[in-house]
Amino acid sequence: MNIYIKIAFVACTALVGSFIGWQKSNSEINTTQYETVIFGTVLSSDELSSVEEKETSSHFFAEAILGWTLAPDFKNQLNFGISSRKQERGNIIFEFTSLSKEKAEVKTEKFIQLLGAKLKEYNMRAKTQFDLLLDNPVTTEKSPHKSFWTMGGGIAGFFFGLFIIEFFVFFRRKN
């Protein structure tokens, strides 16, 4: 088989793969999502502790709050997925996605209420004085990356073309 024919075949399969990826991104992946980010700082208001002790306790209590957001009961009460990570010491970042701005606002309110209730219950039972200072939620619109699907389809088509050529050459040598 001529090398130019092989190159042309692989190029064609890569183009077909790119076209299929582009079509898929246009037909199915048009949902715009809204990502909400809430930044929080854990505070200890224990009057008997030094500043260093307050900082240390806030640092460790931030990890407890992260654990709350991973608990199955907390997730069931929210009815939506949330990711949270500790940025530094007592700072936490909460993130979740929604299909509309209105749903993002509802989810934000529900999350803040549930977290506040959990914190209040913890302070009452453990006889502590922790508080969570939350910044205003920031909701941004996220559109899907269509170029990702186009490039992915092209790469898949390229390797599919190579596979077909090698498969053809292998069986040709066998016979």
Side-chain angles (χ1 to χ4, degrees):
M1 181 179 277
N2 189 348
I3 189 75
Y4 296 114
I5 294 174
K6 291 179 184 179
I7 291 172
F9 181 76
V10 170
C12 286
T13 57
L15 284 173
V16 168
S18 293
F19 182 73
I20 291 171
W22 180 73
Q23 283 291 95
K24 181 132 176 94
S25 69
N26 282 335
S27 64
E28 292 183 16
I29 310 166
N30 275 336
T31 56
T32 299
Q33 293 187 336
Y34 294 87
E35 181 182 64
T36 303
V37 177
I38 305 172
F39 182 83
T41 303
V42 178
L43 304 170
S44 173
S45 56
D46 182 12
E47 297 171 4
L48 303 175
S49 300
S50 69
V51 173
E52 184 178 298
E53 290 172 332
K54 288 179 185 179
E55 286 292 320
T56 303
S57 64
S58 294
H59 168 66
F60 287 114
F61 191 66
E63 293 179 7
I65 292 175
L66 288 177
W68 292 350
T69 62
L70 295 173
D73 185 48
F74 190 86
K75 287 184 174 185
N76 287 339
Q77 289 178 19
L78 277 180
N79 290 329
F80 62 89
I82 187 165
S83 68
S84 53
R85 67 181 189 279
K86 193 169 156 186
Q87 184 188 24
E88 60 179 59
R89 308 271 313 152
N91 297 326
I92 307 172
I93 297 174
F94 305 101
E95 295 176 320
F96 55 88
T97 57
S98 307
L99 295 177
S100 69
K101 274 197 173 228
E102 294 78 24
K103 287 183 180 183
E105 290 171 4
V106 169
K107 286 181 176 183
T108 300
E109 189 64 33
K110 187 173 186 177
F111 172 70
I112 291 172
Q113 286 178 355
L114 186 60
L115 195 59
K118 185 84 170 164
L119 182 62
K120 186 177 181 180
E121 179 186 359
Y122 180 86
N123 282 332
M124 185 183 70
R125 287 189 181 192
K127 296 179 178 49
T128 58
Q129 297 174 352
F130 287 105
D131 198 11
L132 186 60
L133 178 64
L134 297 174
D135 286 355
N136 290 329
V138 176
T139 302
T140 55
E141 186 177 325
K142 299 288 182 182
S143 296
H145 299 289
K146 293 183 179 184
S147 62
F148 170 78
W149 290 97
T150 305
M151 285 181 50
I155 292 169
F158 175 80
F159 285 111
F160 180 73
L162 287 178
F163 175 77
I164 293 296
I165 285 175
E166 290 303 316
F167 188 74
F168 179 73
V169 168
F170 176 75
F171 274 112
R172 202 165 172 200
R173 286 185 187 157
K174 281 277 200 180
N175 293 332

